[in-house]
Amino acid sequence: GENVEQHPSTLSVQEGDSAVIKCTYSDSASNYFPWYKQELGKRPQLIIDIRSNVGEKKDQRIAVTLNKTAKHFSLHITETQPEDSAVYFCAASKESGSARQLTFGSGTQLTVLP
Amino acid sequence: SAVISQKPSRDICQRGTSLTIQCQVDSQVTMMFWYRQQPGQSLTLIATANQGSEATYESGFVIDKFPISRPNLTFSTLTVSNMSPEDSSIYLCSVPRDSRTDTQYFGPGTRLTVL
């Protein structure tokens, strides 16, 4: 089955700096890669996603890049703010029948220092 | 986005008992997914709940321990049976936003503590 590795497990940055979180996946058939943000005690919230027919996607301060050949994708957050502090999870999936089952990375605890 | 609710939001249970968690969605969805998030850990898929058929379980999860019902397109239950302290986790359901997209949304979760 799919295996997703995520690095780093913890990341501290100064407010205003950029943060980068990286994930690799094992199944070359995976073609959908969402990123979730989970604040303490809350549900995971989708923040951005990318499909394998696209190399990069951007939404304001957040961007995701995908390298299909190397089977890795990254989350980039620019101009970080204290409210960006949370646990971020990457995930990968491929369509299986009519369902998409997500395999998650281990998570990155991002702390933005004021 | 879909509005997803779960009941209960949290519970404290005794070893050996069972707890049924409900997931309700405000729109009809073909698939519903159940995840477990152990303390400080990532999310692990338990099973996919299909309406009108048996749930599909992931490796390491069995129907006797986690029976699932899916009586209609807006509702599902997950039962955690014969609980032990190792079952203490957050249990979350998720659903696709709609049949045309890959986006999945999560319910608020049920925080289970087993003593």
Side-chain angles (χ1 to χ4, degrees), chain B:
Chain B
S1 63
V3 176
I4 309 166
S5 60
Q6 284 186 235
K7 291 182 181 179
S9 58
R10 58 179 63 227
D11 207 341
I12 301 173
C13 301
Q14 295 297 321
R15 180 196 298 262
T17 63
S18 298
L19 176 72
T20 295
I21 301 167
Q22 300 178 6
C23 180
Q24 179 77 52
V25 189
D26 68 342
S27 58
Q28 294 183 341
V29 292
T30 305
M31 299 290 182
M32 296 176 77
F33 304 95
W34 286 98
Y35 288 85
R36 180 176 73 182
Q37 187 173 29
Q38 294 176 301
Q41 302 296 313
S42 186
L43 295 94
T44 302
L45 180 65
I46 298 171
T48 302
N50 313 297
Q51 196 271 331
S53 64
E54 293 281 339
T56 304
Y57 289 83
E58 297 302 303
S59 176
F61 298 97
V62 295
I63 187 171
D64 290 346
K65 176 67 175 177
F66 298 102
I68 286 172
S69 77
R70 184 79 201 275
N72 57 54
L73 292 174
T74 63
F75 186 79
S76 178
T77 67
L78 170 76
T79 298
V80 186
S81 304
N82 188 25
M83 289 184 286
S84 66
E86 293 72 36
D87 294 320
S88 297
S89 294
I90 299 173
Y91 292 86
L92 303 108
C93 63
S94 80
V95 302
R97 183 173 71 181
D98 57 53
S99 60
R100 297 166 296 173
T101 72
D102 302 317
T103 307
Q104 285 191 29
Y105 295 111
F106 283 88
T110 296
R111 183 180 294 273
L112 171 61
T113 301
V114 184
L115 303 178

Side-chain angles (χ1 to χ4, degrees), chain A residues 4-74:
Chain A
V4 178
E5 294 190 357
Q6 183 172 346
H7 300 281
S9 57
T10 61
L11 178 60
S12 293
V13 299
Q14 290 294 136
E15 182 176 359
D17 287 351
S18 296
V20 180
I21 303 170
K22 299 181 179 182
C23 289
T24 60
Y25 60 99
S26 61
D27 190 340
S28 57
S30 290
N31 56 8
Y32 174 64
F33 308 93
W35 286 88
Y36 287 84
K37 173 184 180 182
Q38 188 175 31
E39 297 175 2
L40 189 63
K42 298 194 175 180
R43 76 185 81 185
Q45 298 272 13
L46 179 74
I47 56 172
I48 196 167
D49 56 11
I50 192 168
R51 288 167 181 76
S52 58
N53 58 346
V54 175
E56 183 174 358
K57 183 177 179 180
K58 188 173 182 180
D59 183 3
Q60 300 183 339
R61 297 187 296 108
I62 295 173
V64 57
T65 58
L66 170 65
N67 183 326
K68 285 192 298 182
T69 302
K71 290 191 283 189
H72 68 70
F73 56 112
S74 300

